[in-house]
Amino acid sequence: MRVRKAVFPAAGWGTRFLPATKAQPKEMLPLVDKPIIQYAVEEAVAAGIEQVIIVTSSQKRAIEDHFDLSFELERLLEDKGEIEKLRQVRHISDLAQIAYVRQKEQLGLGHAVLMAKDLIGHEPFAVLLPDDVLVAERPAIGQLIHVYQQTHSSVIAVSQVSEAETSRYGIVGTASAEDGEKGRLHRMTHIVEKPAPGTAPSTLAVIGRYVLTPKIFDKLEQTQRGAGGEIQLTDAIEALMEEQSVYAYEFEGVRYDAGTTMGWLKATVELALNRADLGAEFREHLKTLDL
């Protein structure tokens, strides 16, 4: 069955970016001139996703407004003859069929994914965490969808990190690497949430891209609340591995953790430098700084 739907958990408080996120969602913070979440939605659409499901909270109305039509703004731009800006604005509302689900309590990533169960139904689906901005020649989620089409199993994006960084991520344990996908594909044996350095089963860290079979919903419903009273997606994936194969895939591309201040700064600078319309002038400006 084809992967047609994608879930975007976007209900968190964004406390790392206070006070900027006191009155606006962190997913709407700009990276150059687009909000963080738009990069992930465009990635999904480029990979063939037809329906986008954004899990929000009562504080996230700005996300809904961003992807909606704006008749007044479009009329203003049309009257002023600013056709390129009009095209950009219309592109946003035309990206995909978008649905919204409210997560009334912040009970973790697993709970956020579970909120989309009724809209997903009985088919495989993608999950994209907007904080992770992945730049690649092939859309990162598209790489995972390709692996799913080969294996018909859940697949999770991973990336190598240093041993000192393992306590910041979910870390996967794997069997021997599969022959396919240039050695990037691994069959998972277990997954550990934020293990202390020296105790991690590997240095393969879970990145915010998943393709999951609908069986994950059964496991999420059975998952007990863990630390902080949250339902962890990693716990449900661990349980899923008892019944189905789950794979880890080392995606091809560059990842920016835009959910941290430093990661957001790095993403802003590097994305700007790679822009054809901004890169050269911005690079010259950086050369003038006393660094």
Side-chain angles (χ1 to χ4, degrees):
M1 187 178 291
R2 198 160 62 86
V3 179
R4 303 182 306 116
K5 300 176 182 180
V7 177
F8 295 74
W13 285 102
T15 53
R16 288 175 177 172
F17 285 96
L18 285 170
T21 51
K22 179 176 181 289
Q24 72 168 328
K26 67 174 179 176
E27 295 83 6
M28 290 302 296
L29 293 175
L31 285 176
V32 190
D33 55 5
K34 288 193 295 189
I36 293 172
I37 193 171
Q38 187 174 330
Y39 288 87
V41 172
E42 289 178 343
E43 175 191 331
V45 171
I49 292 296
E50 297 172 3
Q51 183 176 13
V52 166
I53 301 165
I54 302 178
V55 182
T56 66
S57 65
S58 60
Q59 310 300 316
K60 302 298 181 91
R61 181 59 188 269
I63 296 175
E64 299 180 30
D65 290 342
H66 179 70
F67 290 105
D68 201 357
L69 290 170
S70 179
F71 295 107
E72 295 85 356
L73 177 58
E74 290 185 16
R75 174 61 63 85
L76 174 66
L77 294 174
E78 190 170 7
D79 290 345
K80 294 175 68 175
E82 298 191 29
I83 304 305
E84 177 57 25
K85 289 182 180 179
L86 176 62
R87 185 195 64 79
Q88 292 174 355
V89 168
R90 285 181 175 168
H91 166 73
I92 295 168
S93 58
D94 291 339
L95 272 172
Q97 177 188 352
I98 300 180
Y100 298 91
V101 179
R102 283 286 178 92
Q103 185 183 17
K104 296 178 181 179
E105 295 181 88
Q106 309 307 303
L107 298 179
L109 176 57
H111 183 259
V113 172
L114 185 56
M115 291 295 94
K117 177 183 177 181
D118 289 343
L119 289 176
I120 294 297
H122 301 285
E123 58 184 282
F125 64 102
V127 177
L128 295 88
L129 306 191
D131 286 356
D132 280 326
V133 177
L134 306 187
V135 178
E137 288 188 14
R138 286 191 301 155
I141 197 63
Q143 296 175 39
L144 299 194
I145 291 172
H146 178 70
V147 172
Y148 171 81
Q149 290 169 341
Q150 294 178 315
T151 63
H152 303 290
S153 300
S154 297
V155 55
I156 298 169
V158 295
S159 181
Q160 292 283 356
V161 298
S162 68
E163 287 190 17
E165 293 180 294
T166 56
S167 61
R168 296 174 48 202
Y169 298 93
I171 302 294
V172 303
T174 66
S176 57
E178 300 285 325
D179 293 334
E181 296 294 333
K182 303 176 183 178
R184 294 179 175 273
L185 186 61
H186 310 266
R187 185 173 60 81
M188 286 173 52
T189 56
H190 57 294
I191 181 170
V192 183
E193 185 67 23
K194 299 180 180 179
T199 67
S202 74
T203 52
L204 287 174
V206 175
I207 304 304
R209 300 292 185 273
Y210 310 76
V211 173
L212 301 169
T213 63
K215 187 68 176 178
I216 194 68
F217 292 123
D218 294 339
K219 300 307 176 185
L220 286 168
E221 289 174 333
Q222 297 163 9
T223 298
Q224 300 297 314
R225 296 188 188 186
E230 296 185 343
I231 297 173
Q232 299 292 344
L233 182 59
T234 51
D235 291 342
I237 292 171
E238 181 83 16
L240 183 65
M241 281 188 282
E242 297 177 5
E243 296 186 24
Q244 299 179 349
S245 294
V246 178
Y247 290 88
Y249 181 72
E250 296 183 64
F251 77 96
E252 299 179 68
V254 178
R255 177 237 182 186
Y256 301 101
D257 182 3
T260 66
T261 305
M262 185 54 66
W264 176 82
L265 287 169
K266 290 178 180 178
T268 299
V269 170
E270 295 186 33
L271 289 171
L273 287 173
N274 288 326
R275 282 273 294 265
D277 58 336
L278 299 172
E281 184 178 351
F282 187 39
R283 186 171 283 103
E284 290 304 311
H285 170 69
L286 293 178
K287 291 177 182 178
T288 68
L289 302 180
D290 184 15
L291 301 176

